[in-house]
């Protein structure tokens, strides 16, 4: 009997907490980090990059798409309201117009073992991401799943909010070695509605950050101005889970060849990242 009470109480408290917030014409957006069941996600990234033509160079472009199905499971809930989760990779599909079919298969094999664990706070802040079966990470951003996941991840407000209210949060995205990129995100609660008996929240998400060069590489990418993103989040308030997130990112990236001691033409980058809950 005590076991049943201990299992039921967190879920009941979560439901009552969100209900009370709504009765005050406010909504408390929180991730369920204590009792959530395993969830299946589809993470997709489509990246288009182009180098403009000049007197010495013909225009070049690159198209890359990666699609990853994964299962996110709660490993351990903590007393402070956070939880330890694992993202297990189930399948990978990758293609690029600048790579061979053999390279596709090698990349898919590489990504398929990139399971990772992380600590998720109730507001969506993710810390301590740890990759299992760690190997040397290729420099290409689309082959690093953690930054893709974090760019799509919403950060919820620290207090209940009203419809139309905005908030600002920031997160750190780990890079190679001890480097990290600070990403600034802005959010606005656009709508709250019922869908099949489930309370849903529609949230606008904006993002900006500076692309920092990889100091371990001879070919460095950096942005002199902010990389900017714009997207929409659908959040399941009833169950405290992400339904979907979409982010469209635009950037102008400077490419520097340290070996040749030359800065190449700036590269225009457009990237679309989507994260969908398949439940």
């Amino acid at each position: 009997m005590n076991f049943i009470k201990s299992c039921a109480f967190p879920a009941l408290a979560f439901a009552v907490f969100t209900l009370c917030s709504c009765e005050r014409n406010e909504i408390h957006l929180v991730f369920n980090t204590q009792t959530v069941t395993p969830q299946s996600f589809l993470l997709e990234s489509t990246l288009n990059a182009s180098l403009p033509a000049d007197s010495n160079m013909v225009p070049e472009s690159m198209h890359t798409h990666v699609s990853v199905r994964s299962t996110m499971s709660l490993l351990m809930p903590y007393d402070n309201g956070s939880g330890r989760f694992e993202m297990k990779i189930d399948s990978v599909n990758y293609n690029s117009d600048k790579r061979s079919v053999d390279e596709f298969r090698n990349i898919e094999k590489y990504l398929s073992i990139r399971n990772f664990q992380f600590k998720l706070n109730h507001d969506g802040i993710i810390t301590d991401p740890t990759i299992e079966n760690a190997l040397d990470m290729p420099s290409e951003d689309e082959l690093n799943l953690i930054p893709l996941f974090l760019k799509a991840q919403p950060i919820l407000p620290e207090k209940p909010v009203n419809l139309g209210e905005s908030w600002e949060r920031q997160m750190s995205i780990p890079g190679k070695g001890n480097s990290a990129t600070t990403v600034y995100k802005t959010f606005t609660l656009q709508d709250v509605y019922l869908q099949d008996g489930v309370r849903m929240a529609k949230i606008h998400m904006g993002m900006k950050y500076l692309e920092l060069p990889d100091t371990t590489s001879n070919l460095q990418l950096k942005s002199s101005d902010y990389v900017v993103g714009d997207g929409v989040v659908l959040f399941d308030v009833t169950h405290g889970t992400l339904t979907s997130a979409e982010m469209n990112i635009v950037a102008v990236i400077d490419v520097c060849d340290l070996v040749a001691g030359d800065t190449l033409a700036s590269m225009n980058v457009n990237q679309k990242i989507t994260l969908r809950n398949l439940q």
Side-chain angles (χ1 to χ4, degrees):
M1 185 66 178
N2 289 334
F3 175 76
I4 296 175
K5 289 182 178 179
S6 64
C7 292
F9 182 75
L12 178 61
F14 177 81
V16 171
F17 188 41
T18 55
L19 177 61
C20 291
S21 298
C22 293
E23 287 178 347
R24 297 196 304 266
N25 295 320
E26 295 178 326
I27 184 167
H28 200 157
L29 303 168
V30 292
F31 278 95
N32 181 357
T33 61
Q34 303 296 296
T35 61
V36 65
T37 57
Q39 304 166 76
S40 296
F41 283 94
L42 176 64
L43 174 65
E44 293 187 279
S45 169
T46 300
L47 186 145
N48 293 288
S50 61
L51 288 170
D54 59 22
S55 57
N56 301 314
M57 183 185 300
V58 296
E60 290 191 34
S61 63
M62 179 185 72
H63 173 84
T64 299
H65 179 81
V66 61
S67 175
V68 179
R69 287 178 178 263
S70 61
T71 301
M72 189 175 82
S73 301
L74 173 64
L75 299 179
M76 180 182 296
Y78 297 122
D79 292 338
N80 64 359
S82 64
R84 188 76 181 173
F85 287 81
E86 179 186 45
M87 187 70 82
K88 186 179 186 321
I89 308 303
D90 298 320
S91 65
V92 178
N93 183 270
Y94 175 90
N95 63 73
S96 171
D97 59 4
K98 295 299 183 182
R99 298 183 187 273
S100 67
V101 174
D102 287 341
E103 287 178 302
F104 293 176
R105 302 294 86 83
N106 288 334
I107 289 172
E108 290 173 351
K109 182 178 179 181
Y110 168 84
L111 290 177
S112 66
I113 62 171
R114 306 301 289 180
N115 302 334
F116 58 95
Q117 296 184 14
F118 55 90
K119 182 179 179 182
L120 176 65
N121 199 19
H122 60 81
D123 61 358
I125 289 288
I126 289 176
T127 56
D128 303 328
T130 303
I131 299 176
E132 302 174 9
N133 305 311
L135 301 170
D136 289 337
M137 178 69 73
S139 59
E140 290 89 342
D141 185 60
E142 78 273 11
L143 302 188
N144 192 340
L145 297 180
I146 291 180
L148 292 179
F149 178 66
L150 291 178
K151 288 174 185 177
Q153 172 73 3
I155 308 177
L156 304 177
E158 298 176 285
K159 60 182 181 62
V161 291
N162 291 299
L163 193 63
E165 190 170 348
S166 299
W167 63 96
E168 299 180 1
R169 303 295 302 271
Q170 66 183 55
M171 66 165 54
S172 179
I173 296 182
K176 284 198 170 183
N178 295 321
S179 65
T181 299
T182 300
V183 177
Y184 304 92
K185 290 190 175 184
T186 58
F187 302 88
T188 301
L189 179 59
Q190 293 184 321
D191 196 11
V192 178
Y193 58 94
L194 286 177
Q195 179 176 295
D196 298 327
V198 174
R199 185 175 294 275
M200 300 291 298
K202 180 181 179 182
I203 305 167
H204 173 265
M205 177 168 60
M207 178 180 71
K208 69 175 184 178
Y209 64 93
L210 289 174
E211 184 72 37
L212 302 178
D214 176 8
T215 57
T216 66
S217 173
N218 289 325
L219 191 65
Q220 296 194 347
L221 309 178
K222 65 177 182 179
S223 59
S224 55
D225 202 355
Y226 279 109
V227 177
V228 295
D230 188 76
V232 174
V233 173
L234 293 181
F235 188 77
D236 180 339
V237 183
T238 300
H239 300 100
T241 57
L242 178 69
T243 298
S244 66
E246 179 179 300
M247 177 62 69
N248 295 287
I249 301 170
V250 178
V252 177
I253 304 296
D254 298 324
V255 184
C256 181
D257 188 339
L258 295 184
V259 175
D262 188 23
T263 299
L264 307 178
S266 295
M267 179 171 56
N268 297 316
V269 177
N270 291 273
Q271 184 178 27
K272 181 177 181 179
I273 303 173
T274 59
L275 180 62
R276 289 195 297 115
N277 193 324
L278 301 177
Q279 301 298 100

